[in-house]
Amino acid sequence: LIEYLDPARPAKPWNARFAYPTQRYFTEYIKEKFGVARFQRFLEQDIADPVKWRDTFKNVFQQSFEQLAQEYEQALKNGQWMPAL
């Protein structure tokens, strides 16, 4: 899933029908795990300095983007987290 979440490593070929729900569910996963307020703090800091989004992500969520993306993928594979449909 990382290829659909990380803008530095886009999937080839790009499948928008898969990408958009994947990104939406990742956002929902983050909100559920850390809370809406913390996610909002990330968004506000990211908008203020988008070039440093990876540093901001790690600072706010206390783990790298890659680590959380892998955790999300494993949670889906193991049935530990399911998106609300």
Side-chain angles (χ1 to χ4, degrees):
L1 298 179
I2 193 77
E3 294 177 337
Y4 287 96
L5 299 173
D6 190 344
R9 296 186 276 183
K12 293 186 172 97
W14 181 256
N15 181 338
R17 293 179 75 188
F18 182 76
Y20 296 136
T22 299
Q23 294 163 358
R24 174 186 159 207
Y25 297 149
F26 182 57
T27 300
E28 290 176 12
Y29 178 80
I30 292 171
K31 287 179 180 178
E32 187 176 306
K33 180 176 174 86
F34 297 101
V36 174
R38 202 160 164 188
F39 182 77
Q40 183 68 30
R41 189 171 78 216
F42 166 73
L43 285 180
E44 290 170 0
Q45 290 178 20
D46 182 48
I47 289 168
D49 194 356
V51 173
K52 295 182 182 176
W53 75 269
R54 288 183 192 274
D55 293 334
T56 302
F57 192 96
K58 189 166 188 172
N59 183 45
V60 172
F61 299 117
Q62 301 302 302
Q63 60 189 117
S64 72
F65 169 79
E66 291 81 3
Q67 289 171 320
L68 192 56
Q70 289 173 354
E71 178 185 298
Y72 162 68
E73 185 171 359
Q74 286 305 310
L76 288 173
K77 286 180 180 178
N78 297 334
Q80 296 169 325
W81 186 84
M82 291 295 294
L85 301 175

